Amino acid sequence: EVVEAVTVIETPPMVVVGVTGYIETPRGLRTLGTIWAEHISEECRRRFYKNWFQCKKKAFTKYAKKWQDDDGKKVIERDFNKLIKHCTVIRVLCHTQMKLMNQRQKKAHLMEIQLNGGTIEDKIKWAKEHLEKQVPVDSVFMQDEMMDVIGVTKGKGFRGVVSRWHVKKLPRKTHKGLRKVACIGAWHPARVGFGVPRAGQKGYHHRTEVNKKIYRIGAGIHTKDGKVVKNNASTEYDITDKSITPMGGFPHYGEVKNDFLMVKGCVMGPRKRVLTLRKSLITHTKRVASEEIKLKFIDTSSKFGHGRFQTPEEKKAFMGPLKKDREVQA
């Protein structure tokens, strides 16, 4: 049995709101056209404005009328046929659902996701069928799969060379400071080389980490047969009815109410920062990648202090009636 540190990434379904096609040119890919859905939610339209409060909120009001009359539908159909005829790459435009998250931000993140496999016609057909539909995380990733995580690291501000590049500190008696690089290059070439460690910005850098193993794809809090199901952290060996959110919530985050991925190890950036999850680009042959993970126990004790109890019920059974409980009864 092995104890591993994991990261829980909350992944509410994304919504497909558009299709864009690319043609190959000598200078790389070029957009041939973009087709948007009829109904685009407010959180997605916020992305097209700097100041939603003061704007007239007119984005896509005229475009949506295309879907309502026959002439407009013909134009849209013609655009789809143009993509099928000329394009070599098809991508769908998807946005996140901020309203499902417990965050201050209301503006959705919008990104293109490439469709692979099948002919161009199949891709356009799939995109058409999924316009305005939700794409859950379990339709993209699988249990025990390796995936890549793309994001922005924690910002550390302006840092010196010792912190930023981990160069050796100079001896104690050094003149004018010792957290420096002693020699930043020869007289000639008469400029500082790009590889010489200098002070500057540390952190808040774009990074891609490959080969993160998915330990569990969990369903969010949902209702089944009229009952609310929160039981997404129990295992074959530990059948306690408990949620993935630890006692007292995740520090600086809160509760996880949507679908989630449990990933081995850590990911870049602070809590609440948006991450891009990507299918792995390589064919995995190693034993670690194909290993089937059977979780025996997920620790849901408090992550703020010395967590002793797995569930509120367990705490109540151990502690007995507390003063605050008696006050409520009185």
Side-chain angles (χ1 to χ4, degrees):
E1 292 182 8
V2 185
V3 179
E4 309 244 55
V6 293
T7 303
V8 173
I9 305 171
E10 196 169 5
T11 51
M14 291 183 79
V15 180
V16 179
V17 287
V19 191
T20 184
Y22 289 86
I23 52 173
E24 282 177 5
T25 70
R27 291 186 299 279
L29 293 175
R30 180 174 77 78
T31 315
L32 186 69
T34 303
I35 300 160
W36 294 88
E38 182 179 358
H39 305 290
I40 295 174
S41 65
E42 183 202 288
E43 53 190 354
C44 179
R45 284 183 294 135
R46 277 175 182 266
R47 176 54 60 188
F48 300 98
Y49 290 102
K50 260 291 187 252
N51 188 339
W52 180 254
F53 168 71
Q54 282 188 321
C55 74
K56 292 181 178 172
K57 306 177 178 53
K58 301 284 279 182
F60 292 101
T61 47
K62 287 182 181 173
Y63 187 90
K65 287 175 185 166
K66 269 190 189 179
W67 287 89
Q68 285 151 14
D69 58 356
D70 294 337
D71 292 343
K73 279 181 182 167
K74 280 177 191 168
V75 171
I76 289 168
E77 198 54 46
R78 196 178 69 215
D79 290 346
F80 273 123
N81 291 333
K82 193 166 77 169
L83 297 188
I84 292 170
K85 189 177 178 187
H86 299 292
C87 290
T88 52
V89 173
I90 300 294
R91 294 177 187 167
V92 286
L93 287 144
C94 300
H95 74 79
T96 55
Q97 298 190 76
M98 296 307 291
K99 64 175 185 285
L100 300 180
M101 306 285 280
N102 188 19
Q103 288 197 20
R104 228 177 112 208
Q105 182 175 327
K106 294 177 184 174
K107 189 183 287 192
H109 306 95
L110 187 66
M111 73 177 296
E112 288 183 1
I113 301 175
Q114 190 159 309
L115 299 180
N116 294 322
T119 61
I120 297 294
E121 214 161 330
D122 297 338
K123 292 174 189 178
I124 293 289
K125 187 180 172 213
W126 188 94
K128 256 189 193 175
E129 285 167 4
H130 285 76
L131 276 182
E132 298 179 27
K133 300 254 175 68
Q134 297 191 354
V135 180
V137 71
D138 56 7
S139 66
V140 181
F141 295 105
M142 283 162 41
Q143 171 85 26
D144 304 324
E145 189 183 342
M146 292 292 220
M147 65 165 190
D148 303 343
V149 180
I150 304 163
V152 177
T153 58
K154 278 185 189 173
K156 309 284 185 188
F158 193 100
R159 288 291 174 93
V161 281
V162 174
S163 168
R164 194 177 183 218
W165 296 106
H166 307 295
V167 299
K168 192 89 166 162
K169 277 167 66 180
L170 299 176
R172 182 183 61 81
K173 294 180 75 173
T174 313
H175 182 53
K176 286 192 177 173
L178 44 80
R179 296 176 66 89
K180 293 173 176 288
V181 174
C183 174
I184 58 168
W187 190 327
H188 288 292
R191 54 197 167 272
V192 180
F194 70 91
V196 177
R198 308 303 304 252
Q201 171 68 27
K202 182 182 179 183
Y204 205 66
H205 302 307
H206 188 273
R207 293 287 178 265
T208 303
E209 281 194 43
V210 296
N211 301 348
K212 296 279 179 197
K213 194 164 181 76
I214 299 172
Y215 274 12
R216 169 170 286 203
I217 297 181
I221 296 171
H222 58 284
T223 48
K224 192 177 181 184
D225 305 330
K227 289 180 182 174
V228 177
V229 181
K230 291 184 177 182
N231 183 22
N232 53 16
S234 58
T235 62
E236 216 176 304
Y237 300 89
D238 171 35
I239 53 172
T240 319
D241 188 355
K242 60 182 183 177
S243 161
I244 193 69
T245 307
M247 295 274 289
F250 284 100
H252 307 285
Y253 187 85
E255 295 181 13
V256 171
K257 294 177 182 171
N258 298 295
D259 300 350
F260 66 89
L261 290 186
M262 186 189 279
V263 176
K264 183 189 172 183
C266 63
V267 294
M268 72 287 290
R271 287 89 165 157
K272 299 183 184 174
R273 183 162 292 168
V274 67
L275 294 170
T276 305
L277 309 179
R278 184 179 71 187
K279 300 280 274 186
S280 186
L281 301 182
I282 57 172
T283 308
H284 292 282
T285 52
K286 291 193 174 175
R287 179 80 56 85
V288 179
S290 56
E291 184 187 6
E292 201 176 309
I293 300 294
K294 279 203 167 64
L295 298 179
K296 289 201 168 180
F297 177 73
I298 298 169
D299 179 34
T300 55
S301 64
S302 174
K303 302 288 167 262
F304 198 90
H306 304 278
R308 292 164 62 196
F309 308 107
Q310 294 294 321
T311 58
E313 292 77 33
E314 187 187 325
K315 183 178 180 180
K316 208 170 276 182
F318 182 84
M319 304 284 264
L322 300 170
K323 187 182 174 186
K324 61 183 178 186
D325 300 331
R326 283 207 299 272
E327 282 169 2
V328 170
Q329 287 164 11

